[in-house]
């Protein structure tokens, strides 16, 4: 089975949850025996992986060439990469999947971006054979606010790179330590975690909080 994944990957110039998701998905499909290629618009793609390949796509014609050469059985797209599902001449036998990682809201985006982004996703979903959401909440919001029908909810899994080194380990009692590991973006509400932990620390003075990550909200949180 040949699978093409459209989306970002982790590089020196870009990182994020969707990039980790794409690489984890590629690895998981490769373990199942699939021939996997990630197509990304990033120029600084990582060195070749022994489990899957990564190529830079530079527009519709570039992607069309890749499709004709690879002849994928499945194409899985995320974010703005859904535009490539409008590429003409994708084989009819090829299953097209669009994965919803969340939704747009005016708390973190301008009104025009919320409308434009949501309408774009609605058009992509209409074009796709299958629409998958990363949570029941994502599916519910997209359905109620934008009329996007989700075929299935598949939550992102934990990568083997994390599971394998820690297999069998168990914490010996509560150590009163809390770890946040992720991107420091306004949408992640890490500021709420800080306020909540201030309340916790008054009740449990020995408790500690570690925030590991980086992003545009970093200096404000510090």
């Amino acid at each position: 089975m040949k699978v093409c994944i459209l989306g970002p990957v982790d590089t020196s110039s870009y990182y994020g949850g969707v990039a980790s998701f794409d690489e984890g998905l590629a690895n998981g499909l490769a373990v199942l025996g699939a021939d996997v290629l990630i197509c990304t618009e990033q120029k600084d793609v990582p060195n070749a992986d022994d489990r899957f390949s990564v190529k830079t796509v530079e527009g519709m014609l570039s992607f069309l060439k890749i499709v004709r050469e690879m002849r994928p059985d499945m194409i899985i797209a995320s974010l703005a990469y859904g535009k490539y599902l409008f590429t003409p001449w994708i084989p009819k036998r090829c299953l097209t999947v669009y994965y919803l990682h969340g939704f747009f809201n005016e708390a973190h985006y301008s009104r025009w971006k919320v409308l434009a982004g949501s309408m774009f996703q609605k058009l992509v979903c209409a074009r796709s054979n299958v629409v998958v959401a990363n949570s029941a909440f994502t599916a519910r919001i997209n359905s109620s606010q934008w009329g996007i029908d989700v075929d299935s909810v598949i939550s992102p899994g934990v990568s083997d790179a994390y599971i394998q080194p820690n297999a069998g380990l168990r914490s010996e009692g509560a150590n009163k330590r809390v770890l946040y590991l992720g991107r420091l973006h306004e949408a992640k509400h890490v500021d709420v975690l800080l306020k909540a932990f201030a309340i916790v620390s008054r009740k449990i003075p020995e408790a500690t909080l570690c925030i590991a990550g980086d992003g545009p909200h970093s200096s404000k949180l510090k």
Side-chain angles (χ1 to χ4, degrees):
M1 184 178 185
K2 296 181 179 180
V3 182
C4 177
I5 298 173
L6 288 163
V9 293
D10 280 314
T11 67
S12 58
S13 64
Y14 181 91
Y15 62 91
V18 179
S20 297
F21 169 84
D22 288 339
E23 294 183 22
L25 178 62
N27 182 49
L29 289 169
V31 169
L32 293 175
D35 181 7
V36 186
L37 169 67
I38 299 180
C39 288
T40 180
E41 293 178 342
Q42 296 159 254
K43 305 296 184 183
D44 56 336
V45 296
N47 295 327
D49 192 290
D50 58 356
R51 296 157 298 178
F52 55 85
S53 303
V54 182
K55 283 188 178 180
T56 297
V57 60
E58 300 177 341
M60 290 292 185
L61 292 178
S62 172
F63 179 61
L64 179 57
K65 182 180 178 181
I66 292 173
V67 168
R68 285 177 169 173
E69 291 176 352
M70 182 183 185
R71 298 187 62 80
D73 300 296
M74 182 186 299
I75 299 174
I76 305 171
S78 296
L79 307 177
Y81 286 84
K83 65 188 178 186
Y84 289 105
L85 297 183
F86 291 95
T87 303
W89 307 300
I90 290 178
K92 289 185 178 180
R93 63 172 180 76
C94 179
L95 182 70
T96 55
V97 181
Y98 188 64
Y99 193 92
L100 291 167
H101 292 269
F103 50 88
F104 293 92
N105 66 82
E106 293 185 18
H108 307 294
Y109 302 100
S110 62
R111 179 168 294 182
W112 74 265
K113 188 168 185 177
V114 170
L115 291 173
S118 299
M119 290 309 298
F120 167 77
Q121 288 197 145
K122 188 168 184 176
L123 290 172
V124 173
C125 289
R127 178 77 174 184
S128 306
N129 298 130
V130 179
V131 178
V132 179
N134 67 349
S135 70
F137 184 60
T138 293
R140 185 165 65 251
I141 295 297
N142 278 289
S143 176
S144 62
Q145 291 193 0
W146 305 107
I148 296 175
D149 294 326
V150 172
D151 297 296
S152 181
V153 173
I154 303 177
S155 301
V158 179
S159 70
D160 287 340
Y162 176 82
I163 293 176
Q164 290 175 354
N166 297 287
L169 296 179
R170 293 292 183 271
S171 176
E172 297 181 0
N175 56 22
K176 300 181 177 63
R177 296 175 184 171
V178 178
L179 169 66
Y180 170 85
L181 179 63
R183 192 160 59 102
L184 303 183
H185 188 280
E186 186 179 19
K188 302 299 183 182
H189 296 295
V190 182
D191 57 323
V192 177
L193 172 61
L194 290 174
K195 293 173 183 176
F197 198 80
I199 298 172
V200 170
S201 63
R202 288 199 291 269
K203 299 287 186 179
I204 311 174
E206 64 273 26
T208 57
L209 168 65
C210 176
I211 296 176
D214 199 4
H217 214 205
S218 177
S219 59
K220 187 175 181 180
L221 290 170
K222 288 179 181 177

